[in-house]
Amino acid sequence: VQLQASGGGLVQAGGSLRLSCAASGDTFGRYTMGWIRQAPGKEREFVAAISGWGRSAIRYADSVKGRFTISRDNAKNTVSLQMNSLKPEDTAVYYCAGDRNLIVGLMANPNEYDHWGQGTLVTVSS
């Protein structure tokens, strides 16, 4: 599956952004989809994930719970990340990632995703 992320930009603290990821090339509904971010000089960090068909699991990093919402539209082959109450520490390149065979217990591990988009930069100013 090929992934294309979009929606990043510059926003003030407290603002909102919505990231989208468009998928092509395979049966999107089978894939667990995740958002992973990487800030300058830091390791990749799990943000959120949503499972594929037949399961209904959603996971969030503690740092974004209550502020971010992940969703998917299998008919449109897209996954989105609604980000509210943004903080300067949310500044990072955000990647969408997918894996066809990812079990629920591993959804929060960035290393388990086989397919990655190109990333979209989110900058939150204070």
Side-chain angles (χ1 to χ4, degrees), residues 61-73:
D62 288 343
S63 59
V64 306
K65 278 181 182 176
R67 300 188 297 123
F68 291 10
T69 302
I70 189 171
S71 61
R72 67 188 299 159
D73 185 335

Side-chain angles (χ1 to χ4, degrees), residues 58-96:
I58 291 178
R59 297 289 184 269
Y60 294 102
D62 288 343
S63 59
V64 306
K65 278 181 182 176
R67 300 188 297 123
F68 291 10
T69 302
I70 189 171
S71 61
R72 67 188 299 159
D73 185 335
N74 290 334
K76 296 182 178 179
N77 288 0
T78 58
V79 60
S80 298
L81 185 69
Q82 178 65 42
M83 304 186 296
N84 299 328
S85 302
L86 282 161
K87 304 175 181 180
E89 51 263 44
D90 294 318
T91 295
V93 176
Y94 284 70
Y95 298 90
C96 65

Side-chain angles (χ1 to χ4, degrees), residues 1-3 22-31 33 53 72 74 76-78 98-101 115:
V1 68
Q2 290 77 49
L3 303 173
S24 61
D26 199 349
T27 306
F28 175 71
R30 295 177 178 174
Y31 284 74
M33 298 300 300
W53 286 341
R72 67 188 299 159
N74 290 334
K76 296 182 178 179
N77 288 0
T78 58
D99 194 275
R100 185 167 172 171
N101 300 307
H115 303 274

Side-chain angles (χ1 to χ4, degrees), residues 104-125:
V104 172
L106 294 177
M107 288 169 64
N109 186 342
N111 295 327
E112 294 293 332
Y113 289 84
D114 286 342
H115 303 274
W116 292 76
Q118 85 289 2
T120 186
L121 176 63
V122 172
T123 303
V124 184
S125 63

